[in-house]
Amino acid sequence: MSASLGLLARKPHHPTPGGATLATDPGVTAILADGWRATFASPPTFDPVGTPQYVSVRRQGYDGTGAATTVDDLVEIMARVRQPYPNHATLSTDETALAEFVYQNDTLLGTTAPNTSTRAYPQPQALWLNHDRDISTGSTYTLRLAVAHAHARQGRPVAAVRFSASDGTNTVTATVSALSTITYAGSGLTVPHFAADLDFSALTAGAEITIDATIFPWVGTAFTVSTDADTYPSPNLSVLKVLNDRTGSYGAAYAYVDAALGDDGTGVAHATPATAAAAPFATLPAAAAALQAHNNTTYSRNDASAGVVRLVAGDHAHASFYSVGVGDWPLIVEAADAGARDTTVYQVGSANTTYTLPPKVKFRNITLRRMAAGNLAVFDSAAGLGGENMLVFENCRFDNNGQGAGSKTFCYRTGRTWLIDCPGDDLGQAIRFSSAYKAVIAIGSANGSFDRQTYHAVGCRDSDVWAVIEDQGSTRPAMAGTFFGWNVMSKAQGINLSTAGLTIGPRGVAFVGNIVETTSGDTSPAMKIHGDGSVEPAENLNLFCNTVVGARVNFLYQDTGTATVAKSGRSRFGVYRFYNVKTDTFGTDANLTGNWPVAFKVGYRANAYLSGGNDGGGFGAGNWVGEIGALGDVGGSSGAPLDPRWADDASFDGTGAGGGDYAPGAGHALPAIPAGLAPYGHDLLGNAIADDGTGVVGAVQA
């Protein structure tokens, strides 16, 4: 079998998506049920670069207005497919591998050959950059949604997103086709996303608003959050609820806390901030209880929902306010001066405590300082599976105060837990503790954002922690549609990201735009995505524009057992130190072929495998880096690695100091992103990604 090394030596051909339709090559006799193989009458030795041959397909899709359309794509025929072990040295008689999947609803053009594919169009992955149960006090509300999709192109992952907001009677919508960016101060990283300002003045004041979105992919079927994602409430993608308090009709009150000058006996909760500020409380629990009493008297609502406790600059001791009632909307605890975050200190963890928080709380613009070592329970609202318990940290600085490793129970049973724009130390915000229901969504934060309870993370910096996409057991919601995007993950040794014991279904996983850096050893992989010993099926994994340095990636193995397990996923425009996929020849069993779409690089494009695979082989039958190279792929070897000319290689292959600069320099050996196929318009540092064929692969532009 040809090793297809010619794909590395010549400039690849890149047909423009949606361009002029060419007839399907008359040699194709059928598309097989798996969607990645075609049968071919008397198949030749294919040369997809020099003399490409195509399957021409017409697909369902959408345009930038969200209108249904069709997309004509050219799918290259890449290579003959070999026979399974032990006959792996012999080619099949008529089977050929395609560069991209053909789906069951695709129409073949220019041929009478049947399309027998049973593969459905891939679903998108998405993550709200807003937290649930927010309170909107203006006439407009800004929604932000990060999206990934297998058929990203033209500088954005999908053609359009339609946002909607409804009070149950009235609905406002906005359709967006252009990407926006937001840069978070907590991490310094940029997240490309779709954003829209919705007009809440057209919705009932004081009403609960349901936020929904419909995602219109370039290729595939529309995906509506309310019907196709999780049932609300969920740490996975679901609708959001927002309070439309644009006129103040819901009623909010304020209570100030001054630990030095306040008095719990004379403190006042009031709808006018100045009145409340003139009579502060000494402690947070007293202020929160006063807000509940004020709401009961003034608004006939015997809870502290939407109340605001403002902490005056200084040190405040953590104490339980679990007994305070909170209904539909969170109690907010914030700095009295939003600019005094670093001097408004909430001191936590001097003793082991549980039952400390009501079910919905938002901390904003304060520092949380740990006062004792050990595995101390600090924040706990006794969240149970299926409940709406939630905890939000927004622009909060975490200060470990020299107390050692993070506490698993710093956040204990807090339900859905958001870390938004939060810098500082790892206090254990995302560390799993036994069967406690804590599900973390980390956005724009640094340190403490990743661990086994991290369901999603975008725009975060983290070090020496382990993010695991795994079976969460019966006491936490199952993970679905997990989204990791535009993060910097640095670790001395060991796995930065793994999957474990989880069937990854149609919702898939997105891992896009990330830097993964290993600094002091390569014994363990940097990423182990259904790797060694995995027997669970997986589909719709999208790895786009990542840079993984210092250690290897093990991706979608089928290296053990005797059953065929379907595994498929894409890697596009990535840079990997070593890249491995093990199949039937490693497991020495003819049935271990379920991950062949990965080995044959179906859906792949223009990746750089700096040192090839860890087995030392280039592309070829049974080799770990893959059976063939995808269009635009380049690869080196351990003895002759490709040189990316990193601006500052601080990985295990460089200084080992960590925090490297992985922008490629002049004369680098990395391939370009083909014109028309850039999945995003910006990288994690905010650099523009060109869509004209000059953009460079990896997480950071040159």
Side-chain angles (χ1 to χ4, degrees), residues 647-662:
D648 175 21
D649 185 358
S651 75
F652 179 58
D653 293 318
T655 65
D661 180 350
Y662 297 101

PDB file of all heavy atoms in Angstrom, residues 647-662:
ATOM      1  N   ALA A 647       8.448  31.295  18.757  1.00  0.00           N
ATOM      2  CA  ALA A 647       9.036  32.518  19.306  1.00  0.00           C
ATOM      3  C   ALA A 647       9.724  32.235  20.638  1.00  0.00           C
ATOM      4  O   ALA A 647      10.782  32.802  20.937  1.00  0.00           O
ATOM      5  CB  ALA A 647       7.954  33.586  19.473  1.00  0.00           C
ATOM      6  N   ASP A 648       9.126  31.358  21.454  1.00  0.00           N
ATOM      7  CA  ASP A 648       9.733  30.970  22.726  1.00  0.00           C
ATOM      8  C   ASP A 648       9.213  29.593  23.097  1.00  0.00           C
ATOM      9  O   ASP A 648       8.098  29.456  23.593  1.00  0.00           O
ATOM     10  CB  ASP A 648       9.380  31.986  23.826  1.00  0.00           C
ATOM     11  CG  ASP A 648       9.891  31.555  25.203  1.00  0.00           C
ATOM     12  OD1 ASP A 648      10.821  30.728  25.270  1.00  0.00           O
ATOM     13  OD2 ASP A 648       9.336  32.051  26.215  1.00  0.00           O
ATOM     14  N   ASP A 649      10.018  28.572  22.840  1.00  0.00           N
ATOM     15  CA  ASP A 649       9.623  27.212  23.178  1.00  0.00           C
ATOM     16  C   ASP A 649       9.977  26.959  24.638  1.00  0.00           C
ATOM     17  O   ASP A 649      11.130  26.721  24.990  1.00  0.00           O
ATOM     18  CB  ASP A 649      10.336  26.201  22.275  1.00  0.00           C
ATOM     19  CG  ASP A 649       9.848  24.773  22.511  1.00  0.00           C
ATOM     20  OD1 ASP A 649       8.996  24.577  23.393  1.00  0.00           O
ATOM     21  OD2 ASP A 649      10.322  23.865  21.805  1.00  0.00           O
ATOM     22  N   ALA A 650       8.973  27.019  25.501  1.00  0.00           N
ATOM     23  CA  ALA A 650       9.185  26.783  26.930  1.00  0.00           C
ATOM     24  C   ALA A 650       8.659  25.420  27.350  1.00  0.00           C
ATOM     25  O   ALA A 650       8.445  25.169  28.533  1.00  0.00           O
ATOM     26  CB  ALA A 650       8.515  27.885  27.746  1.00  0.00           C
ATOM     27  N   SER A 651       8.475  24.530  26.376  1.00  0.00           N
ATOM     28  CA  SER A 651       8.000  23.179  26.657  1.00  0.00           C
ATOM     29  C   SER A 651       9.181  22.282  27.023  1.00  0.00           C
ATOM     30  O   SER A 651      10.329  22.736  27.153  1.00  0.00           O
ATOM     31  CB  SER A 651       7.279  22.618  25.429  1.00  0.00           C
ATOM     32  OG  SER A 651       8.216  22.248  24.416  1.00  0.00           O
ATOM     33  N   PHE A 652       8.894  20.991  27.142  1.00  0.00           N
ATOM     34  CA  PHE A 652       9.929  20.002  27.438  1.00  0.00           C
ATOM     35  C   PHE A 652      11.016  19.994  26.368  1.00  0.00           C
ATOM     36  O   PHE A 652      12.170  19.660  26.652  1.00  0.00           O
ATOM     37  CB  PHE A 652       9.277  18.625  27.559  1.00  0.00           C
ATOM     38  CG  PHE A 652      10.229  17.507  27.844  1.00  0.00           C
ATOM     39  CD1 PHE A 652      11.037  17.518  28.967  1.00  0.00           C
ATOM     40  CD2 PHE A 652      10.315  16.416  26.986  1.00  0.00           C
ATOM     41  CE1 PHE A 652      11.911  16.478  29.231  1.00  0.00           C
ATOM     42  CE2 PHE A 652      11.185  15.370  27.241  1.00  0.00           C
ATOM     43  CZ  PHE A 652      11.982  15.405  28.368  1.00  0.00           C
ATOM     44  N   ASP A 653      10.676  20.363  25.147  1.00  0.00           N
ATOM     45  CA  ASP A 653      11.659  20.407  24.069  1.00  0.00           C
ATOM     46  C   ASP A 653      12.448  21.708  24.043  1.00  0.00           C
ATOM     47  O   ASP A 653      13.395  21.832  23.265  1.00  0.00           O
ATOM     48  CB  ASP A 653      10.961  20.229  22.718  1.00  0.00           C
ATOM     49  CG  ASP A 653      10.369  18.839  22.578  1.00  0.00           C
ATOM     50  OD1 ASP A 653      11.035  17.867  22.977  1.00  0.00           O
ATOM     51  OD2 ASP A 653       9.231  18.729  22.088  1.00  0.00           O
ATOM     52  N   GLY A 654      12.017  22.686  24.859  1.00  0.00           N
ATOM     53  CA  GLY A 654      12.707  23.968  24.900  1.00  0.00           C
ATOM     54  C   GLY A 654      13.305  24.217  26.272  1.00  0.00           C
ATOM     55  O   GLY A 654      13.993  23.372  26.835  1.00  0.00           O
ATOM     56  N   THR A 655      12.997  25.373  26.847  1.00  0.00           N
ATOM     57  CA  THR A 655      13.584  25.745  28.136  1.00  0.00           C
ATOM     58  C   THR A 655      12.961  25.000  29.306  1.00  0.00           C
ATOM     59  O   THR A 655      13.573  24.904  30.373  1.00  0.00           O
ATOM     60  CB  THR A 655      13.422  27.247  28.378  1.00  0.00           C
ATOM     61  OG1 THR A 655      12.018  27.563  28.505  1.00  0.00           O
ATOM     62  CG2 THR A 655      14.034  28.052  27.243  1.00  0.00           C
ATOM     63  N   GLY A 656      11.724  24.513  29.124  1.00  0.00           N
ATOM     64  CA  GLY A 656      11.025  23.847  30.218  1.00  0.00           C
ATOM     65  C   GLY A 656      10.467  24.800  31.253  1.00  0.00           C
ATOM     66  O   GLY A 656       9.957  24.370  32.285  1.00  0.00           O
ATOM     67  N   ALA A 657      10.540  26.087  30.982  1.00  0.00           N
ATOM     68  CA  ALA A 657      10.099  27.078  31.964  1.00  0.00           C
ATOM     69  C   ALA A 657       8.588  27.246  31.993  1.00  0.00           C
ATOM     70  O   ALA A 657       8.038  27.746  32.976  1.00  0.00           O
ATOM     71  CB  ALA A 657      10.762  28.426  31.670  1.00  0.00           C
ATOM     72  N   GLY A 658       7.900  26.835  30.933  1.00  0.00           N
ATOM     73  CA  GLY A 658       6.462  27.011  30.857  1.00  0.00           C
ATOM     74  C   GLY A 658       6.075  28.414  30.424  1.00  0.00           C
ATOM     75  O   GLY A 658       6.862  29.360  30.522  1.00  0.00           O
ATOM     76  N   GLY A 659       4.866  28.534  29.931  1.00  0.00           N
ATOM     77  CA  GLY A 659       4.373  29.834  29.495  1.00  0.00           C
ATOM     78  C   GLY A 659       5.018  30.313  28.214  1.00  0.00           C
ATOM     79  O   GLY A 659       5.295  31.506  28.060  1.00  0.00           O
ATOM     80  N   GLY A 660       5.263  29.409  27.280  1.00  0.00           N
ATOM     81  CA  GLY A 660       5.953  29.757  26.046  1.00  0.00           C
ATOM     82  C   GLY A 660       5.104  30.571  25.094  1.00  0.00           C
ATOM     83  O   GLY A 660       3.889  30.724  25.259  1.00  0.00           O
ATOM     84  N   ASP A 661       5.777  31.090  24.082  1.00  0.00           N
ATOM     85  CA  ASP A 661       5.128  31.858  23.014  1.00  0.00           C
ATOM     86  C   ASP A 661       5.189  30.997  21.759  1.00  0.00           C
ATOM     87  O   ASP A 661       6.260  30.821  21.169  1.00  0.00           O
ATOM     88  CB  ASP A 661       5.850  33.186  22.809  1.00  0.00           C
ATOM     89  CG  ASP A 661       5.223  34.045  21.716  1.00  0.00           C
ATOM     90  OD1 ASP A 661       4.352  33.540  20.978  1.00  0.00           O
ATOM     91  OD2 ASP A 661       5.617  35.220  21.596  1.00  0.00           O
ATOM     92  N   TYR A 662       4.034  30.474  21.347  1.00  0.00           N
ATOM     93  CA  TYR A 662       4.011  29.504  20.258  1.00  0.00           C
ATOM     94  C   TYR A 662       3.512  30.111  18.953  1.00  0.00           C
ATOM     95  O   TYR A 662       2.824  29.456  18.169  1.00  0.00           O
ATOM     96  CB  TYR A 662       3.221  28.270  20.694  1.00  0.00           C
ATOM     97  CG  TYR A 662       3.924  27.598  21.856  1.00  0.00           C
ATOM     98  CD1 TYR A 662       3.484  27.785  23.162  1.00  0.00           C
ATOM     99  CD2 TYR A 662       5.088  26.881  21.648  1.00  0.00           C
ATOM    100  CE1 TYR A 662       4.165  27.226  24.238  1.00  0.00           C
ATOM    101  CE2 TYR A 662       5.785  26.315  22.710  1.00  0.00           C
ATOM    102  CZ  TYR A 662       5.321  26.491  24.004  1.00  0.00           C
ATOM    103  OH  TYR A 662       6.015  25.954  25.062  1.00  0.00           O
TER     104      TYR A 662
END
